[in-house]
Amino acid sequence: MRGILIQTLLYGSLTFGIWTALLYVFTNHNHVSNLEKKTQEPASIWSLEKKFHRQDTHGSEEIPRPYVRFESPDEEETKPQKSFFKWSKDFNYSSSEFVDGFLKYGFNTVLSKSLGSEREVPDTRNKKCFQKHYPANLPTASVVVCFHNEEFSALFRTMFSVVNLTPRHFLEEIILVDDMSDSDDLKEKLDHHLEVFRGKIKLIRNKKREGLIRSRMIGASRASGDVLVFLDSHCEVNKVWLEPLLHAIAKDPKMVVCPLIDVIDSVTLEYWPSPVVRGAFNWHLQFKWDNVFSYEMDGPEGPTLPIRSPAMAGGIFAINRHYFREIGQYDKGMNLWGAENLELSLRIWMCGGQLFVLPCSRVGHISKQRFPNQPEFAEAMTYNSLRLAHVWLDEYKEQFFLRRPGLKSVAYGNISERVELRKRLGCKSFQWYLDNVFPELEASEGGR
Ligand SMILES: *[C@@H]1O[C@H](CO)[C@@H](O)[C@H](O)[C@H]1NC(C)=O
Ligand SMILES: *[C@@H]1O[C@H](CO)[C@@H](O)[C@H](O)[C@H]1NC(C)=O
Ligand SMILES: [Mn+2]
């Protein structure tokens, strides 16, 4: 059993590597000019070739290698993290602590605990981002982090990285919403440890399990900053991560922005830069990353300009607090999580807002492995997707049901409030969205 699990993990990591390698090859082949290839080296680590041979090839042109501070009693030093394959030999993958942690949290909690609450991560921004300057006067941010049984160190790295890498005057507060965790270390121990942040953190504990969607609304309702920044509870923000987001929203309050999400490997916890991508989805209403058009990256400013994005991944984005309320927050009839990101994306575009990815803002996110023995997640995903389809897709919901015919007669609750909201906001049609924001959806899969 253990052997199989370990194989699955390693296989999962490899699959991910291959996927991103393909994405890299594809984006470069299609969109990245020769000049870009020289300047956009961060993406080059996604080449699987290099991943295998990384130790031999890190020259001055390479991105900074990920650094990890190892906590050991006799050597207080910072040393480069070893690459995955070499490193994996030193790690006991059959220890029950590792296996139990992985099954419960979806990532390497043994390593997470040994990393502790703070570490440095590599600055993965394109060099051209370093020349960008932001006004000293920007809106303030309330960072909202919801969690349910998050691993303690990962949660604390999220908070410490925000506190350490955000200028004080921009950070109104961090709002932590505990969605009925039952882990012991998230009770009194958490209260106790939060004291180091001296009141910058508000902790809200839900009285019953609300799910991510309603938890975020609870967090937002207690926020007082100008901008809401939603973060997953297993993130590490990068340098100058917040300023680009605040600046974009200051210029246009109806602009909703996402950082580029870097990958923190679920097994090694290494921090890897992501290539510049935009958010998209297919007719199954499954979110996916999509290539960015060359004209958006090939100009003199390189891959530093806002990238128009048909959808957001959902875990991490920033939105003007009043605008969030004005456009109807989330569909509170949705459960747990899933599809709420697409519902919000469509609502933003169709009701007069805009959604962009800002490549100069980087936030690392542990890409957790999920195990299929959690039917309640699949159920919520289906239910939420149905609500989305019935409120927002107009006649195109047939495209969804064509692919998922079993769902045509499945109940989706009462959506009259959301239909009413759409009318009240005077939103455009899904046809308009297809024509103006995401023509590739129809073009790419129309025949299938
Ligand atoms: C790894 O952990 C397992 C289970 O706890 C133990 O039996 C084994 O001896 C450990 N291996 C090493 C090399 O420490
Ligand atoms: C759906 O909810 C609305 C109010 O939100 C209510 O007026 C309506 O009666 C409900 N419909 C059904 C079928 O329960
Ligand atoms: Mn996440």
Side-chain angles (χ1 to χ4, degrees):
M1 163 62 199
R2 210 158 255 178
I4 292 169
L5 173 73
I6 293 155
Q7 274 179 17
T8 313
L9 298 182
L10 299 184
Y11 179 74
S13 274
L14 279 174
T15 315
F16 182 74
I18 290 163
W19 180 83
T20 43
L22 286 176
L23 183 65
Y24 165 73
V25 170
F26 188 69
T27 30
N28 274 276
H29 187 259
N30 284 280
H31 299 310
V32 183
S33 70
N34 283 333
L35 176 77
E36 269 315 306
K37 273 184 193 158
K38 281 203 201 93
T39 53
Q40 207 200 0
E41 63 273 15
S44 70
I45 66 110
W46 291 110
S47 150
L48 195 61
E49 260 313 286
K50 277 208 185 148
K51 191 160 180 177
F52 278 108
H53 300 294
R54 189 146 22 92
Q55 281 162 304
D56 308 317
T57 55
H58 65 96
S60 53
E61 288 300 307
E62 276 268 351
I63 53 153
R65 283 172 52 141
Y67 278 77
V68 176
R69 197 176 294 137
F70 285 95
E71 285 183 354
S72 75
D74 42 30
E75 47 178 310
E76 181 66 41
E77 64 169 314
T78 306
K79 55 186 169 188
Q81 181 163 349
K82 295 173 207 158
S83 75
F84 171 60
F85 292 99
K86 181 158 184 237
W87 180 86
S88 67
K89 283 191 210 137
D90 307 338
F91 193 83
N92 190 346
Y93 289 108
S94 40
S95 80
S96 56
E97 201 190 349
F98 169 74
V99 173
D100 294 348
F102 212 103
L103 285 172
K104 179 160 184 207
Y105 296 102
F107 67 99
N108 187 341
T109 57
V110 176
L111 186 54
S112 179
K113 285 187 174 74
S114 80
L115 292 178
S117 313
E118 287 176 87
R119 69 162 170 176
E120 260 182 64
V121 297
D123 187 343
T124 50
R125 293 172 296 161
N126 184 285
K127 288 192 188 73
K128 288 188 171 129
C129 296
F130 303 167
Q131 280 137 37
K132 298 220 178 254
H133 296 286
Y134 302 96
N137 208 355
L138 285 172
T140 59
S142 292
V143 175
V144 178
V145 178
C146 304
F147 64 93
H148 173 76
N149 287 343
E150 185 57 273
E151 194 271 325
F152 192 82
S153 301
L155 179 63
F156 267 74
R157 277 196 303 281
T158 306
M159 289 183 282
F160 266 107
S161 75
V162 169
V163 168
N164 291 341
L165 293 171
T166 310
R168 264 170 180 279
H169 50 289
F170 297 148
L171 184 61
E172 177 73 29
E173 66 209 340
I174 299 178
I175 297 181
L176 267 184
V177 184
D178 172 9
D179 192 18
M180 279 292 278
S181 300
D182 44 35
S183 312
D184 286 338
D185 59 359
L186 296 174
K187 293 177 179 164
E188 291 81 33
K189 182 182 166 193
L190 177 63
D191 294 326
H192 177 72
H193 279 74
L194 287 179
E195 283 167 19
V196 301
F197 296 108
R198 289 198 203 101
K200 269 277 179 197
I201 297 198
K202 284 185 194 162
L203 173 63
I204 300 166
R205 298 207 195 256
N206 291 345
K207 300 273 190 307
K208 62 177 173 55
R209 183 87 199 266
E210 298 285 359
L212 175 72
I213 298 165
R214 287 189 293 269
S215 295
R216 282 185 168 176
M217 291 166 70
I218 292 167
S221 73
R222 299 276 292 269
S224 50
D226 305 314
V227 169
L228 297 169
V229 181
F230 293 102
L231 276 189
D232 270 9
S233 53
H234 37 271
C235 289
E236 286 165 75
V237 303
N238 213 309
K239 294 207 174 70
V240 199
W241 72 289
L242 186 61
E243 290 88 332
L245 306 176
L246 296 180
H247 188 42
I249 292 171
K251 285 190 289 189
D252 178 0
K254 294 190 174 183
M255 177 112 149
V256 180
V257 285
C258 309
L260 199 64
I261 301 172
D262 287 332
V263 171
I264 303 174
D265 188 281
S266 62
V267 179
T268 66
L269 297 187
E270 287 173 305
Y271 186 110
W272 295 118
S274 290
V276 178
V277 286
R278 59 178 199 155
F281 57 91
N282 59 25
W283 283 120
H284 294 256
L285 299 180
Q286 292 159 330
F287 177 83
K288 58 175 188 155
W289 295 110
D290 205 354
N291 299 305
V292 170
F293 296 110
S294 53
Y295 63 79
E296 292 194 276
M297 302 208 296
D298 284 355
E301 294 195 63
T304 66
L305 297 175
I307 306 285
R308 239 168 91 97
S309 196
M312 64 163 82
I316 311 174
F317 67 97
I319 185 168
N320 177 291
R321 183 163 59 86
H322 299 297
Y323 182 56
F324 184 60
R325 202 177 46 220
E326 192 183 309
I327 62 160
Q329 303 187 55
Y330 280 116
D331 175 356
K332 63 179 187 302
M334 287 187 173
N335 297 326
L336 290 172
W337 60 268
E340 88 289 349
N341 57 325
L342 301 185
E343 193 268 346
L344 179 57
S345 306
L346 291 179
R347 185 149 41 87
I348 290 165
W349 280 117
M350 289 164 65
C351 311
Q354 303 191 77
L355 177 60
F356 282 80
V357 172
L358 305 184
C360 287
S361 168
R362 298 247 175 190
V363 173
H365 166 257
I366 299 180
S367 41
K368 291 189 176 190
Q369 308 273 340
R370 298 206 171 273
F371 298 97
N373 59 351
Q374 294 170 312
E376 72 266 31
F377 288 111
E379 215 171 276
M381 179 62 125
T382 301
Y383 186 79
N384 298 349
S385 299
L386 277 167
R387 290 181 70 86
L388 183 170
H390 285 289
V391 177
W392 295 101
L393 296 193
D394 303 332
E395 68 273 23
Y396 284 91
K397 71 183 171 201
E398 292 312 321
Q399 293 292 330
F400 172 64
F401 289 123
L402 213 59
R403 276 123 186 127
R404 308 192 60 184
L407 299 187
K408 213 161 175 171
S409 55
V410 172
Y412 49 86
N414 185 342
I415 56 168
S416 62
E417 240 179 72
R418 302 307 282 183
V419 172
E420 190 51 42
L421 172 77
R422 183 175 166 178
K423 266 195 225 132
R424 194 172 73 237
L425 295 173
C427 307
K428 299 193 179 81
S429 65
F430 190 71
Q431 182 69 58
W432 176 90
Y433 172 82
L434 281 181
D435 293 342
N436 294 279
V437 181
F438 195 18
E440 298 79 15
L441 177 61
E442 215 177 357
S444 67
E445 291 189 274
R448 264 189 276 156

Coordinates of all heavy atoms in Angstrom, one line a residue, residues 413-418, ligand 2:
G413 N -30.6 23.7 -6.7 CA -31.0 24.7 -5.7 C -31.8 25.8 -6.3 O -32.1 25.8 -7.5
N414 N -31.9 26.9 -5.5 CA -32.7 28.0 -6.0 C -31.7 29.1 -6.5 O -30.9 29.6 -5.7 CB -33.5 28.5 -4.8 CG -34.4 29.7 -5.2 OD1 -34.2 30.3 -6.2 ND2 -35.4 29.9 -4.3
I415 N -31.8 29.4 -7.8 CA -30.9 30.4 -8.3 C -31.5 31.8 -8.6 O -30.9 32.6 -9.2 CB -30.2 29.9 -9.6 CG1 -31.3 29.6 -10.7 CG2 -29.3 28.7 -9.4 CD1 -30.7 29.3 -12.1
S416 N -32.8 31.9 -8.1 CA -33.5 33.1 -8.5 C -32.8 34.4 -8.1 O -32.8 35.4 -8.8 CB -34.9 33.1 -8.0 OG -34.9 33.1 -6.6
E417 N -32.1 34.4 -6.9 CA -31.4 35.6 -6.5 C -30.2 35.9 -7.4 O -30.0 37.1 -7.7 CB -30.8 35.3 -5.1 CG -31.3 36.2 -4.0 CD -30.6 35.9 -2.7 OE1 -29.4 36.2 -2.5 OE2 -31.3 35.4 -1.8
R418 N -29.6 34.9 -8.0 CA -28.4 35.2 -8.8 C -28.9 35.6 -10.2 O -28.3 36.5 -10.9 CB -27.5 34.0 -9.0 CG -27.0 33.5 -7.7 CD -26.3 34.6 -6.9 NE -24.9 34.9 -7.3 CZ -24.1 35.7 -6.7 NH1 -24.5 36.4 -5.6 NH2 -22.9 36.0 -7.2
Ligands
LIG2 C1 -36.3 31.0 -4.5 O1 -35.8 32.1 -3.7 C2 -36.6 33.3 -3.8 C3 -35.9 34.4 -2.9 O2 -34.6 34.3 -2.9 C4 -38.0 33.1 -3.3 O3 -38.8 34.2 -3.5 C5 -38.6 32.0 -4.2 O4 -39.9 31.6 -3.7 C6 -37.7 30.7 -4.1 N1 -38.2 29.7 -5.0 C7 -38.5 28.5 -4.6 C8 -39.0 27.6 -5.7 O5 -38.3 28.1 -3.5

